[in-house]
Amino acid sequence: MRRQCYGIGVLLAVLWIAPLHAQEPTGSILGHVTDEASQQPIQGATVTFGSHTTQTKVDGSFLLTGIRAGTDTLRARLIGYSPAGQLVELTGGQTATVDLTMAVKALNLSEMVVIGYGEQAAGNITGAVTSVSAEEFNTGRIVSPTELIQNKAAGVQVVENNEPGGGTTIRIRGSTSINASSEPLIVMDGVPLGTGSGSGISAGRDPLNFLNSDDIETITVLRDASAAAIYGANAANGVVIITTKRGRGAPKFEYSGSVSASAVTRLPTMLNASQFRAAVTQYAPQNVPQLGSANTNWFDLVDRTAYGQEQNFAVSGSGTSNNYRLSANYLNQDGIIRGTNTQRVTLGVNYNQLLFKDRMNLRFLVRGSRARDQFTAGGVLSNAAQMGPTQPVRDTSAQTGYANWAINIQSPDNPVELLNLSKNQGTTFRGLGNVSADYSLPWVSGLKANLSLGFDASKAERVSFSPSTLHGQIKNGNFGNYNRQNPSQLNQLFESYLSYAVPRNVGPGTLDLTGGYSYSTSHAEFPSTSADSLSTDLLGIGAIPAAKTIKSTQFVDESKLISFFGRLNYNINDRYLLNLSLRHDGSSRFGAANAWGTFPSVAVAWRLSQEPFLKGVASLSDLKLRGSWAKTGNQAFGNYLQFSTYTVGDAQAQYWMGNGFVTTIRPSAVDPNIKWEATNSFDVGLDYGFKNQRFTGAIDWYSKKTSDLIFNVPAAAGTNLADFVTTNIGSMQNKGLEFSLSARLLEGGRKGLSWT
């Protein structure tokens, strides 16, 4: 404690005495950096005067302070632009105003890309990062926003199941786990969606359906571990960062609408009625009496041309110190299987305000949605393939009015009966919000404080009903089934970090630092009720009738994640680049001995195109060699795995004690030392560009190995409380080679025809 007091005393003394040595009057330089052709402000340009350095803000402005009197050249530099400079003579106590213009050289290298906790010029990124803007998104019928980047990024697989509101699977450089999730972490405007990897809960199969794709400005995929490592424990499967649109320019009203039609283009080749009758006659003559006289194409009865419509409205604009965007969306999309449908209504608000002489940028956003889904009854497609084409659809003598085979455990069900009599539907309400602010501290040039508060709340209801008269219910002995689930989840986030762009050169290059703290919590509840052998079918999905078996469960999950993180970027004239990051995570999903994990990364890049031996190659606009190593973690699996759970026994697991049977309560097997799954990754890449970046691309080789895989394995007899236990065992490895090539027509900074 005494040492801490001494240290604080020395620091205060230094801060008090330091001004006494600044006897010489100093001056300042302020101004703007703009694009020579478009006259638009340039963000992120490095401005230097002697040993002083800073970066331009969003509006292209810059300020250099504490400069000794003298004459030197004020220089502006940004990858993708030709350097600009102007001689400035500065006297003591003077504030000089100097504006600089820069000419485009290779525009897409200077575009700002959103990375974890900040932005960076695309040309200076040291990891494998792909950013896709709204102009490059896939068009057509889009339900989930992940479909916008399908086939747009090398090494990223987006697979949809073609059901409206159905789930999409995202795999970035393959799967990294067996029992834990392999879905990437999705971050929207600074708020992680869901808990760990994944994107939250929903009555549907894709929790991201609550997002309106028309609101999205960019989707950035952090493909390699060095780019994603700043997110630590949740980054083993990569990171997808979604940034929504802000208002720009004069107030404007936007409307877009679309109508779509989807149809099955290829179906399985099946026997028609005459072919089926001939096959049965030849190969199973004993079954000929079971054949009907109909000619039924079951696939034609369950599929359809699915129509959809989407309407988007938005009002946006900006003033001298603020910008805003309000949006609304309505989607109604049928599925190619009859009876399936999703309807979605979303509302969104984005607002930015500059305060305190533009030193503070306050950002506010909120999103809300309601989605209603009608789902495919279980087994419709499989039964359409199995049901014989000689069987009719209807049977007036049957209780349900639909024809079926005689009751047999192996007999298929009439798929039209399933579609018309079974019910499976859900409703999801989702809300997401974030309030964040960054403040440029006036007493330390280049130091910025950032604060973010966010939430992600969802509530869903999923109801399914199968009447007791269904062929399948009679066949399996259930005689009617009702199931209701009402999951809800609330995630809360607090993050605070400092970013410091050192105002003087450190050695031959510039240095910027980021360091912060993150605290997130998740509370989820999963109540459900199921009933079998229903006493009546009249209530449908409206209420739970009396039944032979009624079972209610209530699961509650809570988790917390505490994190400390830091990053260092060192840049020598956009030629030699270094990135170091470190994250220290503590998760409640592990026992005390393994609650904390450390996840470091290192990445370097060398821009060969800046070297003298390649500057003579006129057609070469960019050539950058990258290399990285990083360690990331995965905590996307169940809570409380280090603790025993207790199961109440049924009638088959009772124990005779005294004068009667006693119901048992059995603990589960556990490994109290269960810990993180850890992924170590290597990446070597080459970014290239020709003809002023008209032709661009990258080649990447990567290798990632996941160790301490969480798996359910047999336990040695007498060593635990059950035959199987969940623990860390084994490893898996992915290796790959990625190649991408894009071409675009650039004219005066504008984008024309392009292909990838």
Side-chain angles (χ1 to χ4, degrees):
M1 183 67 185
R2 182 175 298 175
R3 290 182 179 178
Q4 292 179 353
C5 292
Y6 286 155
I8 295 172
V10 171
L11 178 60
L12 292 174
V14 170
L15 294 176
W16 179 262
I17 295 172
L20 300 179
H21 294 280
Q23 301 297 329
E24 298 180 10
T26 59
S28 303
I29 303 176
L30 59 84
H32 289 78
V33 178
T34 56
D35 186 295
E36 185 178 69
S38 66
Q39 299 302 309
Q40 293 298 309
I42 297 177
Q43 177 190 3
T46 300
V47 180
T48 59
F49 186 83
S51 61
H52 295 263
T53 182
T54 189
Q55 287 190 332
T56 56
K57 299 180 180 179
V58 176
D59 60 355
S61 64
F62 67 89
L63 174 64
L64 293 167
T65 60
I67 306 173
R68 291 185 181 182
T71 302
D72 207 334
T73 300
L74 180 72
R75 292 183 171 86
R77 170 178 54 83
L78 179 62
I79 187 69
Y81 284 85
S82 298
Q86 183 175 328
L87 193 66
V88 177
E89 184 178 351
L90 190 67
T91 60
Q94 175 193 6
T95 298
T97 301
V98 183
D99 293 331
L100 299 174
T101 60
M102 302 177 70
V104 173
K105 186 178 179 182
L107 182 64
N108 62 348
L109 292 179
S110 63
E111 293 175 348
M112 301 304 293
V113 176
V114 176
I115 57 175
Y117 307 103
E119 293 181 319
Q120 197 170 14
N124 287 336
I125 291 177
T126 54
V129 176
T130 300
S131 182
V132 184
S133 63
E135 295 82 4
E136 302 167 307
F137 287 158
N138 291 322
T139 57
R141 184 189 71 92
I142 301 294
V143 178
S144 174
T146 52
E147 298 170 25
L148 295 170
I149 60 170
Q150 193 169 27
N151 302 320
K152 291 289 185 179
V156 180
Q157 294 177 306
V158 179
V159 181
E160 55 177 314
N161 72 353
N162 291 316
E163 182 181 43
T168 54
T169 298
I170 307 175
R171 290 293 178 269
I172 300 177
R173 295 184 168 179
S175 299
T176 57
S177 183
I178 298 175
N179 281 353
S181 172
S182 288
E183 293 293 315
L185 172 68
I186 298 177
V187 181
M188 176 182 162
D189 288 327
V191 180
L193 303 183
T195 55
S197 299
S199 47
I201 64 171
S202 170
R205 295 178 176 89
D206 188 352
L208 284 180
N209 286 346
F210 83 99
L211 281 176
N212 172 20
S213 59
D214 192 61
D215 284 343
I216 298 175
E217 185 168 54
T218 61
I219 298 179
T220 303
V221 184
L222 310 183
R223 306 193 328 264
D224 76 331
S226 70
I230 193 70
Y231 288 103
N234 295 321
N237 306 316
V239 180
V240 176
I241 301 176
I242 299 175
T243 304
T244 55
K245 296 176 181 177
R246 264 70 171 172
R248 290 185 176 89
K252 62 179 179 180
F253 173 81
E254 301 171 71
Y255 166 77
S256 65
S258 66
V259 177
S260 65
S262 305
V264 178
T265 57
R266 186 174 62 183
L267 287 168
T269 302
M270 308 295 291
L271 300 179
N272 59 31
S274 60
Q275 292 170 333
F276 185 74
R277 188 175 289 106
V280 173
T281 302
Q282 180 176 355
Y283 298 109
Q286 71 277 11
N287 293 328
V288 169
Q290 299 183 45
L291 296 176
S293 59
N295 185 3
T296 307
N297 187 325
W298 293 102
F299 280 117
D300 283 350
L301 297 175
V302 299
D303 78 337
R304 65 180 176 184
T305 298
Y307 296 99
Q309 61 158 314
E310 185 173 15
Q311 315 292 332
N312 291 296
F313 305 87
V315 178
S316 63
S318 64
T320 56
S321 61
N322 65 357
N323 65 69
Y324 60 90
R325 189 174 189 273
L326 292 82
S327 63
N329 166 266
Y330 172 73
L331 171 75
N332 188 340
Q333 179 65 54
D334 289 334
I336 56 175
I337 303 299
R338 297 179 187 273
T340 59
N341 173 269
T342 185
Q343 293 186 46
R344 181 187 69 203
V345 177
T346 64
L347 297 172
V349 177
N350 277 17
Y351 184 78
N352 284 26
Q353 178 69 54
L354 295 176
L355 301 169
F356 306 120
K357 298 181 180 180
D358 296 348
R359 286 190 174 274
M360 174 178 282
N361 186 7
L362 181 65
R363 296 177 295 274
F364 168 82
L365 71 91
V366 64
R367 294 260 181 284
S369 74
R370 186 209 64 196
R372 289 178 174 170
D373 297 288
Q374 301 285 341
F375 300 101
T376 307
V380 168
L381 286 178
S382 61
N383 282 287
Q386 296 177 66
M387 198 72 177
T390 63
Q391 303 306 114
V393 178
R394 293 281 186 172
D395 181 359
T396 55
S397 64
Q399 188 174 4
T400 62
Y402 292 94
N404 277 290
W405 299 100
I407 297 299
N408 184 295
I409 194 63
Q410 295 180 341
S411 61
D413 306 324
N414 188 320
V416 180
E417 179 188 66
L418 285 172
L419 280 177
N420 294 336
L421 300 184
S422 294
K423 301 294 182 184
N424 192 344
Q425 65 186 47
T427 302
T428 304
F429 294 92
R430 185 88 179 255
L432 181 143
N434 186 28
V435 177
S436 61
D438 60 71
Y439 182 65
S440 297
L441 301 175
W443 57 85
V444 181
S445 178
L447 183 62
K448 183 184 293 185
N450 299 266
L451 177 68
S452 178
L453 299 171
F455 75 91
D456 178 11
S458 52
K459 184 175 180 62
E461 180 182 76
R462 179 81 177 262
V463 184
S464 63
F465 165 72
S466 297
S468 60
T469 54
L470 281 183
H471 177 262
Q473 290 292 309
I474 299 173
K475 181 177 63 176
N476 61 29
N478 280 347
F479 298 101
N481 172 265
Y482 176 95
N483 186 274
R484 178 183 293 270
Q485 300 173 343
N486 297 91
S488 62
Q489 187 176 62
L490 174 62
N491 301 327
Q492 300 177 83
L493 173 73
F494 168 83
E495 287 183 333
S496 179
Y497 62 95
L498 294 174
S499 57
Y500 183 44
V502 180
R504 291 176 179 269
N505 285 352
V506 179
T510 59
L511 177 68
D512 67 79
L513 305 168
T514 300
Y517 169 80
S518 176
Y519 177 80
S520 60
T521 65
S522 176
H523 177 90
E525 298 185 7
F526 301 92
S528 66
T529 301
S530 63
D532 289 314
S533 298
L534 307 180
S535 61
T536 178
D537 297 328
L538 295 177
L539 298 179
I541 62 173
I544 307 174
K548 181 179 179 180
T549 303
I550 297 180
K551 181 180 180 181
S552 295
T553 60
Q554 166 79 324
F555 293 99
V556 178
D557 270 357
E558 285 190 344
S559 64
K560 296 179 181 180
L561 183 69
I562 299 174
S563 307
F564 301 90
F565 57 88
R567 179 174 57 216
L568 177 152
N569 285 320
Y570 190 63
N571 184 334
I572 303 177
N573 297 323
D574 293 328
R575 182 181 298 179
Y576 308 107
L577 307 167
L578 171 67
N579 176 288
L580 302 174
S581 72
L582 183 69
R583 183 158 179 139
H584 191 53
D585 283 326
S587 173
S588 64
R589 291 182 173 176
F590 306 95
N594 295 295
W596 290 90
T598 301
F599 306 99
S601 81
V602 56
V604 295
W606 176 22
R607 178 161 282 105
L608 298 166
S609 55
Q610 295 280 56
E611 297 297 336
F613 58 85
L614 284 178
K615 281 192 173 182
V617 182
S619 61
L620 182 66
S621 54
D622 185 45
L623 188 65
K624 182 175 65 177
L625 181 65
R626 298 179 278 104
S628 66
W629 169 86
K631 178 183 178 183
T632 52
N634 192 345
Q635 60 147 4
F637 40 81
N639 288 308
Y640 320 123
L641 293 183
Q642 71 272 29
F643 302 117
S644 287
T645 56
Y646 291 83
T647 303
V648 178
D650 55 20
Q652 304 300 316
Q654 292 183 333
Y655 183 78
W656 181 269
M657 182 176 292
N659 297 323
F661 287 101
V662 177
T663 300
T664 60
I665 300 178
R666 307 186 306 277
S668 64
V670 296
D671 177 5
N673 297 315
I674 195 169
K675 58 183 179 181
W676 312 87
E677 289 187 349
T679 300
N680 286 273
S681 301
F682 295 90
D683 184 279
V684 178
L686 184 70
D687 299 331
Y688 57 87
F690 299 94
K691 298 293 184 181
N692 289 332
Q693 297 301 100
R694 290 191 179 188
F695 302 94
T696 60
I699 302 172
D700 278 270
W701 173 86
Y702 67 88
S703 174
K704 59 180 185 179
K705 182 177 182 180
T706 303
S707 55
D708 296 320
L709 288 171
I710 292 177
F711 202 68
N712 199 31
V713 300
T719 63
N720 220 307
L721 297 169
D723 295 335
F724 288 83
V725 63
T726 301
T727 186
N728 299 97
I729 185 172
S731 62
M732 66 184 297
Q733 187 170 19
N734 287 333
K735 292 182 179 180
L737 185 66
E738 299 170 348
F739 171 78
S740 63
L741 174 64
S742 300
R744 65 183 70 186
L745 181 63
L746 297 175
E747 293 180 351
R750 295 174 297 177
K751 297 180 181 179
L753 180 67
S754 65
W755 59 264
T756 301

